[in-house]
């Protein structure tokens, strides 16, 4: 698990890791090849978004030059120790770079305004800058660079600047000889800046990425330049000719992106006063094109909106495309930023909401683009669910009598399914059964209703929001279209109960797996007690429990501690206090910082076992870096170390947990148990990605991991074809994934989840999809009639959770 913070939304959350990570081995293989023009390499986060050098010059409105930075990334970009630097368009032998030091940070999706030198003309001041300098930029030609460090650059040619790795981004404009791409950005003047277009493209071609236009400086608060008339009224007074459907267009990217549009009319349909502040407006007179949305979000930055639902307004603002998260390939949200707003009247009726249900939501999810972006494809709302949602972006929608398919979380949000066509789980969710079956009716629900007027419903899977839930259709930073509810349906409790597995026979060995979600001694006693109750009551005190995400003895404190004795001792004591057995345990401490997970946490797998029921065969020699092997044949087959780690030096396990294998003895017969926690889904594009089909880059490493483990199990079975092998844990992948197909190749192992009815194949709920991440696999020596398998639903479907995973158990019959 990981924790992600995003400034544009009022929360952070623990989710499957979705941030793209460049491994050290990959990074080391990259070679910077000098190009015939300057380049800082395309940036995934900080860029120079706009440059204006005409401030205070003849004909200028603005008094100052400025440089605007932007952050395309999903995390804040720190600027401490950075600088912006400037050199003339045709630097000579005595020319030097001028420097403005920076500090602070650029919020994800945010802007950062740097005021530079003022001229003697102009009438309008910049919005309050985030930094100030004295650079006197040319109005027509020059080069600006975002630089790591404050030491002046020395390069004066395109080639030399291309080789300077301190340059994060570089913009040459006019006739500048130092620029990215084949030419500088054209068109800069006393009245025109050069600015990046929609999505802040950075293709290392200044001429293509930046266009000239009216200067539109925006600071970190979302403020823009004042009208300068001293009246205090900056809003429009007459409607313009452009309507919202013209701004939205019939693709995902606005045809007006980057333009400032005057007098956009609309009715306020929703107001958000926390997190990403702003309001939605919708045109009461729509066009006839179902592909063009009639609504748009007006982003007010740090300022709380002063409008009310039902206000008729005119808005003058800049059209922008905001990407809630650049990781995972999120959809963009067309927004109006730096707005000036005039309220014409109040109490107006709202446009009718569009009903979303099985009749209106297409069965197909997204158009196919061979992995490329679908952003510029014409929307087909009658054919694809993602296109339908995009065509309704910002508009009032409603779902009626909606079934909850993901429980309320601590941030006040849940998921419903608006389509009765999606396959239901036995307990009321929707089950994810294949990459080609994403379930089209899933929608998140958040609330715009003030807490004083009604608390957010605390719902479990299978509950219903009866009546109608109504609000603007938004898109959130963690993926998924979202009803920002102004009207919430009434909660109907379906009475979901936590499952208790069947009671085993005394002659059966019971082996379970449980991801305990970053457990460490600093966690509250309540968490230990809840997890312990799950093991004792719901799993009926298994003989063996393979645990994942056991952290070291001081949790996320990153001081080199790797031991986990205190963590496990506290857990064992909690189990005994809940009426369970006096478990013993075995594990291997990892090398500090080498197994991934929360930095400093050193998560690992471990075995709890009940010595009164099953014995652990201790074989010395296992440690963090020594590979376990197989010795002997037939009934004498054994491990060379128990516990041991499977091929820990293999590159498949880089920054990931290594499988832990232990040899047990039940009624005099050996049982080999492998505890797994494969690498996370970091870097994968989401199923709702703007890239279709989405790329699942993390599958590559998990498939390699599966191949390594498959080879080890095959070696065990070659020594003893009847060996009883149980491989279990959090594999971070689906039963239909390449990794699980590799593990089960040739019948070496079989995945027991496939033997359950389809409606019961899940152990985790994400974005409204009930899905399989945890598995128990067994060798051919454990035949179908010898095993009884159960996923025990105690967490994933409930608002109150001890972990975000459900445990599983297998009962091995004699």
């Amino acid at each position: 698990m990981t924790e992600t913070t995003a400034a544009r939304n009022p929360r952070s959350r623990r989710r499957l890791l979705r941030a793209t990570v460049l491994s050290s081995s990959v990074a080391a293989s990259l070679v910077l090849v000098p190009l015939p023009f300057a380049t800082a390499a395309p940036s995934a986060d900080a860029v120079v978004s706009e440059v204006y050098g005409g401030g205070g010059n003849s004909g200028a409105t603005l008094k100052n030059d400025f440089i605007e930075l932007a952050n395309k990334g999903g995390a804040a970009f720190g600027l401490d120790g950075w600088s912006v630097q400037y050199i003339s368009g045709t630097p000579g032998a005595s020319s030097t770079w001028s420097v403005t030091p920076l500090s602070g940070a650029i919020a994800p999706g945010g802007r950062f305004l740097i005021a530079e030198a003022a001229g003697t003309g102009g009438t309008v001041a910049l919005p309050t800058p985030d930094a100030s300098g004295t650079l006197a930029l040319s109005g027509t030609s020059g080069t600006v660079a975002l630089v790591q460090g404050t030491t002046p650059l020395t390069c004066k040619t395109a080639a030399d600047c291309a080789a300077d790795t301190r340059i994060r981004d570089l913009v040459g404009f006019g006739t500048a000889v130092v620029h990215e791409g084949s030419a500088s950005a054209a068109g800069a003047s006393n009245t025109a800046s050069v600015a990046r277009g929609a999505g802040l493209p950075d293709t290392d071609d200044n001429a293509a990425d930046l266009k000239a236009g009216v200067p539109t400086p925006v600071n970190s608060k979302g403020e823009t330049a004042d009208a300068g008339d001293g009246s205090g009224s900056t809003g429009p007074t007459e409607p313009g000719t452009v309507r919202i459907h013209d701004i939205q267009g019939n693709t995902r990217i606005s045809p007006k992106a980057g333009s400032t549009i005057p007098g956009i009319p609309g009715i306020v349909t929703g107001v958000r006063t926390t997190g990403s502040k702003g309001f939605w407006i919708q045109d009461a007179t729509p066009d006839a094109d179902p592909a063009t949305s009639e609504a748009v979000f007006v982003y007010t930055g740090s300022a709380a909106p002063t409008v009310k639902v039902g206000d008729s307004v005119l808005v003058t603002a800049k059209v922008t495309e905001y990407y809630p998260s650049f990781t995972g390939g999120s959809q963009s949200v067309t927004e109006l930023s730096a707005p000036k707003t005039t309220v014409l009247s109040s109490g107006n009726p709202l446009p009718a909401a569009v009903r979303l249900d099985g009749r209106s939501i297409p069965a197909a999810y997204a158009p196919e683009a061979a992995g490329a972006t679908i952003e510029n494809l014409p929307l087909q709302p009658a054919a694809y669910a993602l296109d339908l949602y995009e065509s309704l972006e910002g508009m009032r929608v409603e779902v009626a009598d909606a079934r909850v398919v993901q429980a309320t979380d601590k941030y006040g949000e849940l998921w419903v399914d608006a389509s009765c066509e999606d396959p239901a789980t036995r307990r009321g969710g929707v089950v994810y059964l294949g990459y080609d079956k994403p379930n089209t009716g899933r929608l998140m629900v958040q609330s715009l209703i003030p807490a004083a007027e009604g608390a957010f419903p605390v719902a479990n899977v299978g509950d219903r929001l009866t009546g109608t839930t109504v609000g603007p259709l938004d898109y959130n930073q963690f993926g998924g279209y979202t009803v920002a509810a102004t009207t919430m349906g009434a909660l109907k409790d379906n009475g979901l109960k936590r499952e208790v597995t069947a009671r085993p026979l005394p002659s059966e060995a019971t082996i379970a797996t449980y991801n305990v979600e970053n457990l460490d001694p600093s966690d509250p006693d309540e968490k230990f007690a809840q997890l312990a109750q799950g093991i004792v009551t719901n799993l009926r005190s298994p003989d063996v429990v393979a645990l994942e995400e056991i952290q070291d003895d001081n949790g996320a404190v990153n001081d080199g501690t790797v031991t986990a004795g205190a963590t496990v001792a506290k857990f064992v004591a909690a189990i005994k206090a809940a009426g369970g057995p006096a478990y013993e345990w075995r594990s291997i401490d990892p090398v500090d910082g080498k197994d991934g997970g929360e930095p400093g946490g050193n998560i690992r797998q471990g075995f709890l076992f009940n010595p009164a029921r099953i014995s652990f065969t201790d074989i010395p020699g296992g440690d963090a870096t020594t590979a376990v092997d197989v010795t002997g044949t037939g009934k004498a087959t054994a491990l060379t170390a128990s516990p041991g780690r499977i091929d820990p030096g293999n590159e498949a396990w880089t920054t990931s947990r290594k499988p832990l294998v232990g040899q047990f003895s039940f009624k005099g017969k050996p049982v080999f148990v492998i505890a797994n926690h494969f690498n996370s889904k970091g870097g994968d594009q989401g199923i709702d990605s703007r890239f279709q089909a989405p790329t699942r880059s993390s599958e590559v490493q998990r498939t390699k991991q599966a191949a390594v483990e498959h080879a080890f199990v095959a070696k065990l079975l070659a020594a003893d074809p009847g060996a009883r092998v149980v491989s279990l844990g959090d594999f971070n992948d689906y039963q239909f994934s390449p990794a699980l197909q590799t593990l089960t190749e040739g019948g070496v192992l079989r995945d027991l989840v496939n033997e359950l009815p389809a409606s019961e194949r899940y152990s985790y709920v994400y974005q409204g999809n009930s899905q399989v991440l945890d598995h128990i696999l067994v060798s051919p020596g454990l035949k179908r009639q010898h095993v009884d398998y159960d996923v025990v639903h105690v967490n994933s479907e409930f608002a109150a959770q001890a972990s975000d995973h459900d445990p599983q158990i297998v009962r091995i019959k004699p």
Side-chain angles (χ1 to χ4, degrees):
M1 308 304 297
T2 188
E3 189 170 279
T4 305
T5 302
R8 287 285 303 269
N9 265 317
R11 64 194 189 279
S12 62
R13 68 176 74 191
R14 301 172 80 135
R15 286 292 199 225
L16 287 176
L17 181 61
R18 296 286 179 184
T20 303
V21 177
L22 183 67
S23 72
S24 58
S25 59
V26 173
S29 69
L30 297 178
V31 178
L32 183 63
V33 179
L35 301 175
F37 47 82
T39 175
S43 176
D45 38 48
V47 293
V48 177
S49 53
E50 188 170 0
V51 176
Y52 175 59
N57 293 354
S58 175
T61 300
L62 293 172
K63 298 178 180 180
N64 289 72
D65 300 343
F66 71 85
I67 300 166
E68 181 191 278
L69 307 179
N71 180 6
K72 303 193 297 181
F77 185 92
L79 290 172
D80 290 351
W82 288 68
S83 64
V84 288
Q85 302 193 20
Y86 169 76
I87 199 167
S88 63
T90 54
S94 61
S95 300
T96 58
W97 287 83
S98 301
V99 178
T100 298
L102 303 176
S103 61
I106 319 174
R111 306 285 170 140
F112 189 94
L113 182 64
I114 306 154
E116 297 294 358
T120 57
T123 59
V124 176
L126 295 174
T128 304
D130 302 296
S132 297
T134 59
L135 306 183
L137 311 184
S138 166
T140 56
S141 179
T143 301
V144 168
L146 175 60
V147 180
Q148 187 171 23
T150 57
T151 302
L153 299 171
T154 57
C155 58
K156 296 180 184 179
T157 67
D160 287 345
C161 287
D164 195 325
T165 58
R166 295 175 296 165
I167 299 175
R168 185 56 165 259
D169 191 27
L170 182 143
V171 171
F173 59 96
T175 58
V177 299
V178 178
H179 53 77
E180 290 182 348
S182 57
S184 298
S189 70
N190 288 351
T191 58
S193 67
V194 293
R196 295 187 189 273
L200 300 169
D202 183 19
T203 64
D204 282 353
D205 188 341
N206 290 158
D209 294 342
L210 295 101
K211 304 298 182 185
V214 176
T216 55
V218 180
N219 65 14
S220 61
K221 296 180 178 181
E223 297 167 339
T224 187
D226 191 275
D229 59 7
S231 67
S233 174
T234 60
T237 58
E238 297 292 335
T241 59
V242 176
R243 293 295 184 265
I244 294 173
H245 46 253
D246 301 320
I247 293 169
Q248 288 283 9
N250 66 353
T251 69
R252 286 171 165 78
I253 299 297
S254 170
K256 306 293 186 182
S259 300
T260 297
I261 309 295
I264 306 161
I267 304 295
V268 177
T269 60
V271 177
R272 188 161 59 204
T273 58
T274 60
S276 183
K277 297 183 180 70
F279 56 95
W280 287 266
I281 59 172
Q282 185 165 336
D283 199 326
T285 56
D287 67 2
D289 187 351
T292 57
S293 171
E294 300 295 337
V296 68
F297 183 68
V298 182
Y299 176 54
T300 59
S302 63
T306 57
V307 298
K308 302 182 300 296
V309 171
D311 284 352
S312 174
V313 298
L314 296 176
V315 178
T316 294
K318 184 176 181 178
V319 181
T320 58
E321 291 291 338
Y322 169 59
Y323 291 83
S325 173
F326 260 72
T327 60
S330 82
Q331 302 285 336
S332 67
V333 179
T334 302
E335 293 184 346
L336 302 179
S337 61
K340 299 179 178 67
T341 304
T342 301
V343 177
L344 302 177
S345 63
S346 299
N348 296 281
L350 304 185
V354 176
R355 174 69 62 92
L356 294 174
D357 56 22
R359 290 170 293 182
S360 62
I361 300 172
Y365 192 60
E368 171 63 53
T373 181
I374 59 174
E375 286 186 311
N376 299 308
L377 298 180
L379 296 174
Q380 302 179 65
Y384 302 107
L386 273 187
D387 284 11
L388 171 68
Y389 297 144
E390 176 64 25
S391 75
L392 299 172
E393 180 186 81
M395 292 177 61
R396 294 185 78 232
V397 299
E398 68 177 24
V399 291
D401 195 28
R403 189 174 84 251
V404 175
V405 294
Q406 183 165 332
T408 303
D409 64 22
K410 64 183 179 180
Y411 307 104
E413 56 195 26
L414 55 79
W415 288 73
V416 298
D417 190 74
S419 174
C420 57
E421 305 300 318
D422 291 333
T425 69
R426 183 174 58 85
R427 290 161 58 85
V430 291
V431 64
Y432 184 46
L433 296 174
Y435 294 130
D436 59 341
K437 303 175 181 68
N439 296 320
T440 62
R442 298 168 299 105
L443 292 167
M444 181 185 278
V445 176
Q446 298 174 332
S447 179
L448 298 177
I449 304 169
E453 298 177 18
F456 193 85
V458 180
N460 296 325
V461 167
D463 293 348
R464 286 189 179 270
L465 297 182
T466 61
T468 57
T469 299
V470 185
L473 188 64
D474 196 16
Y475 183 86
N476 76 81
Q477 84 217 63
F478 295 99
Y481 283 90
T482 303
V483 181
T486 55
T487 300
M488 188 76 68
L491 178 64
K492 181 180 180 181
D493 189 344
N494 191 45
L496 191 71
K497 304 297 183 185
R498 300 182 199 273
E499 290 187 330
V500 176
T501 196
R503 191 179 301 278
L505 297 173
S507 58
E508 293 176 326
T510 54
I511 303 174
T513 175
Y514 203 166
N515 182 319
V516 292
E517 195 177 10
N518 286 329
L519 189 67
D520 75 76
S522 68
D523 284 330
D525 292 345
E526 182 184 8
K527 177 175 181 176
F528 280 88
Q530 289 175 343
L531 290 168
Q533 194 66 49
I535 285 178
V536 175
T537 300
N538 303 91
L539 293 175
R540 297 187 185 272
S541 299
D543 299 329
V544 178
V545 184
L547 299 174
E548 300 86 52
E549 294 200 17
I550 291 287
Q551 290 200 343
D552 63 34
D553 289 333
N554 60 12
V557 177
N558 198 356
D559 63 356
T561 299
V562 295
T563 58
T567 306
V568 179
K570 186 173 179 178
F571 192 26
V572 168
I575 292 171
K576 192 163 185 183
Y583 281 113
E584 295 184 10
W585 70 288
R586 297 291 188 274
S587 186
I588 291 177
D589 293 334
V591 176
D592 184 38
K594 296 298 184 182
D595 281 15
E598 186 177 25
N602 288 310
I603 55 175
R604 83 289 309 277
Q605 301 90 270
F607 297 116
L608 300 183
F609 66 96
N610 181 0
R613 290 271 307 156
I614 196 168
S615 61
F616 190 89
T617 305
D618 287 295
I619 303 172
D623 60 30
T625 58
T626 301
V628 67
D629 206 347
V630 178
T631 184
T633 58
K635 294 181 179 180
T637 299
L639 303 176
T640 57
S642 175
R645 294 179 120 193
I646 297 175
D647 199 4
N650 194 295
E651 59 90 22
W653 310 111
T654 300
T655 64
S656 182
R657 283 68 56 187
K658 289 71 176 169
L660 181 73
V661 58
Q663 184 172 325
F664 294 83
S665 180
F666 183 71
K667 297 189 179 299
K669 295 184 178 181
V671 180
F672 301 97
V673 183
I674 306 172
N676 298 275
H677 189 186
F678 280 15
N679 75 296
S680 78
K681 292 182 175 292
D684 288 5
Q685 294 168 353
I687 58 178
D688 60 352
S689 170
R690 65 184 182 275
F691 302 100
Q692 292 292 335
T695 298
R696 297 177 291 272
S697 57
S698 68
E699 279 186 350
V700 175
Q701 185 175 1
R702 282 193 301 281
T703 303
K704 290 180 180 179
Q705 292 174 342
V708 173
E709 183 163 322
H710 181 276
F712 179 81
V713 175
K715 191 170 186 178
L716 256 177
L717 297 182
D720 179 9
R724 301 166 187 83
V725 182
V726 178
S727 177
L728 74 176
D730 178 2
F731 290 85
N732 263 321
D733 224 333
Y734 316 115
Q735 68 274 29
F736 45 80
S737 67
L740 271 296
Q741 298 303 311
T742 298
L743 266 176
T744 56
E745 187 176 350
V748 166
L749 292 167
R750 82 177 188 275
D751 192 354
L752 296 180
V753 76
N754 292 318
E755 298 171 15
L756 293 177
S759 63
E760 297 181 24
R761 296 175 190 169
Y762 63 96
S763 63
Y764 189 88
V765 184
Y766 181 70
Q767 292 187 348
N769 269 332
S770 295
Q771 55 196 251
V772 178
L773 293 183
D774 311 88
H775 301 258
I776 297 181
L777 304 97
V778 296
S779 61
L782 295 169
K783 302 185 183 303
R784 289 177 187 264
Q785 64 270 29
H786 293 163
V787 299
D788 190 3
Y789 167 71
D790 191 12
V791 180
V792 186
H793 301 299
V794 297
N795 289 316
S796 68
E797 300 169 307
F798 295 89
Q801 300 180 344
S803 168
D804 48 357
H805 290 250
D806 286 327
Q808 304 184 6
I809 189 168
V810 62
R811 292 177 286 275
I812 300 174
K813 304 175 188 299

